[in-house]
Amino acid sequence: MLDLKWIRENPEAFDAAMARRGLPPQAAALLLVDASKRQFQTEMQEIQARRNAAAKEIGKAKASGANTEPLIQEVSVLKNASQNLETQERELQAKLDKYLAILPNILSDDVPEGASEEDNIELRRVGTVPVFDFVPKEHYELGEALGMMDFETAAKISGSRFVITSGQIARLERALAAFMVDVHTLEKGYLEVSPPVLVRGHTLFGTGQLPKFEEDLYKSGEDHYMIPTAEVPLTNLVRDSILEESELPKRFTAHTLCFRSEAGSAGKDTAGMLRQHQFAKVEMVSITTPQQSDDEHERMTACAEDILKRLELPYRVVVLCSGDTGFGARKTYDIEVWLPGQNAYREISSCSTCGDFQARRMKARYRPEGEKGTQFVHTLNGSGLAVGRTLIAVMENYQQADGSIRIPDALVPYMGGVAQISKQEQ
């Protein structure tokens, strides 16, 4: 959520920031509601002051034996007027809150201009794209031929965009998640958390998924939703709290299932397990001071990259342009892994810095050292990594001519010493 005081003081800068998001000017309409609400508040304060004065006058009139009826009638009229103003003020506050809730975050100054993903800027490429002496297959072709990846039965059970993995591919998926969590916790300073995957609506509001993206969520009951990412519960660990500066940064990681309706992806990536309704992901979340957040963004991205380096998977890093940056982010780096079966780089991680946008929604603050007042924390999140997409990348980059899959050296200990997946190993 944006700072309303800043918008009041900088309406032109606010409109320019919204224009970078492809939105029309917002300040005039927003500040009109705000001005009306503040006017009602002023009138309520004036009425309350008169009520207080009238109450004192009634006391004096009673003491002197004077007629108090006119004053009592005035207080009654003032009370009704105050109640009416209070009702209108609440309605305007609700309108203002609703308006602010759907406004996107303000982009960092260094986010490149652009309309879509075509305008994202590549920062670096790491690793060597493999060269095969055969036509490389896509992951689902490999998995089905091995008898360890079943989309047909999954569709019978759950519908489209689900998969059943089994045997050594299921074990490989589990090994990947364990490897990622171990690296992040044992070497990178993240605290492992096992959070709920079912959360209430206010939790999703805190991280910005509600109200704007409700159609992308799976709802359970009146006010519970399945998480689309562990960013949601991990970031909310600090909601409604005041931290000491010495506690920051806080770093959390979690391996969870995630659930997305993929409402806007009809006809996109329908083959295989690249875009599923249910998938596993290892998430990273950082809570920092404003001064730490830019460095933490670079650090978090490097942590995600290190997983790919250890798995020896080629990838590239791009910075998202203004038209492709997500609703709650100030700046985002996407890491895209090379998939030989598609002959393309595909996203495997997004690392975003959100500034105080989520913190305002969650009322998450910290107390700077030596100061009495508080400030909002900064929040960051990133995939470290999407487990299913990493499984795809390993299968496609490590495939061999006979359809078997070699295991990356870093994963062999997690596979109980198994160095290759072949059909006969089911």
Side-chain angles (χ1 to χ4, degrees), residues 134-155:
F134 58 91
V135 178
K137 296 178 179 178
E138 295 203 49
H139 67 283
Y140 56 88
E141 297 174 298
L142 293 163
E144 288 177 327
L146 289 167
M148 302 177 195
M149 193 172 278
D150 188 344
F151 296 92
E152 184 177 348
T153 303

Side-chain angles (χ1 to χ4, degrees), residues 124-193:
R124 56 187 172 273
R125 293 192 181 195
V126 179
T128 302
V129 170
V131 177
F132 299 93
D133 57 4
F134 58 91
V135 178
K137 296 178 179 178
E138 295 203 49
H139 67 283
Y140 56 88
E141 297 174 298
L142 293 163
E144 288 177 327
L146 289 167
M148 302 177 195
M149 193 172 278
D150 188 344
F151 296 92
E152 184 177 348
T153 303
K156 291 177 183 177
I157 295 171
S158 301
S160 62
R161 296 189 188 274
F162 290 91
V163 65
I164 296 170
T165 58
S166 61
Q168 293 292 7
I169 286 183
R171 183 173 186 176
L172 177 58
E173 190 171 15
R174 175 162 52 92
L176 281 164
F179 168 69
M180 293 173 192
V181 172
D182 280 355
V183 171
H184 294 320
T185 57
L186 300 178
E187 301 181 32
K188 307 299 184 182
Y190 288 87
L191 175 68
E192 183 175 4
V193 177

Side-chain angles (χ1 to χ4, degrees), residues 251-306:
R251 300 183 179 112
F252 306 116
T253 188
H255 167 224
T256 67
L257 289 175
C258 305
F259 304 86
R260 297 182 187 177
S261 71
E262 298 291 350
S265 64
K268 187 176 183 181
D269 295 323
T270 54
M273 57 179 295
L274 196 66
R275 194 178 297 274
Q276 300 265 282
H277 291 309
Q278 172 188 303
F279 57 96
K281 184 152 68 80
V282 173
E283 186 73 1
M284 302 176 291
V285 161
S286 295
I287 313 296
T288 75
T289 67
Q291 295 76 25
Q292 295 166 332
S293 61
D294 285 346
D295 287 343
E296 187 70 14
H297 191 205
E298 301 297 330
R299 182 188 188 279
M300 178 179 283
T301 305
C303 288
E305 287 184 71
D306 193 39

Side-chain angles (χ1 to χ4, degrees), residues 376-394:
F376 288 105
V377 299
H378 278 202
T379 62
L380 303 94
N381 63 82
S383 307
L385 305 159
V387 178
R389 292 195 173 196
T390 312
L391 174 66
I392 292 171
V394 168

Side-chain angles (χ1 to χ4, degrees), residues 60-215:
K60 291 179 181 179
K62 284 181 178 179
S64 65
N67 181 16
T68 60
E69 188 59 29
L71 288 169
I72 291 173
Q73 289 181 358
E74 181 185 4
V75 169
S76 178
V77 170
L78 290 170
K79 181 180 179 181
N80 290 333
S82 179
Q83 289 174 340
N84 289 334
L85 285 170
E86 187 176 352
T87 298
Q88 294 179 74
E89 190 271 340
R90 277 200 306 266
E91 291 174 350
L92 284 172
Q93 183 63 56
K95 185 176 181 180
L96 194 60
D97 290 343
K98 186 177 181 180
Y99 205 138
L100 288 169
I102 61 173
L103 290 175
N105 203 350
I106 293 174
L107 298 169
S108 296
D109 291 339
D110 59 349
V111 170
E113 298 296 329
S116 69
E117 62 182 19
E118 302 300 323
D119 300 311
N120 296 339
I121 295 178
E122 182 178 306
L123 300 178
R124 56 187 172 273
R125 293 192 181 195
V126 179
T128 302
V129 170
V131 177
F132 299 93
D133 57 4
F134 58 91
V135 178
K137 296 178 179 178
E138 295 203 49
H139 67 283
Y140 56 88
E141 297 174 298
L142 293 163
E144 288 177 327
L146 289 167
M148 302 177 195
M149 193 172 278
D150 188 344
F151 296 92
E152 184 177 348
T153 303
K156 291 177 183 177
I157 295 171
S158 301
S160 62
R161 296 189 188 274
F162 290 91
V163 65
I164 296 170
T165 58
S166 61
Q168 293 292 7
I169 286 183
R171 183 173 186 176
L172 177 58
E173 190 171 15
R174 175 162 52 92
L176 281 164
F179 168 69
M180 293 173 192
V181 172
D182 280 355
V183 171
H184 294 320
T185 57
L186 300 178
E187 301 181 32
K188 307 299 184 182
Y190 288 87
L191 175 68
E192 183 175 4
V193 177
S194 181
V197 297
L198 191 66
V199 297
R200 297 177 65 185
H202 69 260
T203 308
L204 286 150
F205 177 85
T207 45
Q209 281 79 15
L210 284 178
K212 187 173 176 62
F213 301 107
E214 184 160 13
E215 68 170 5

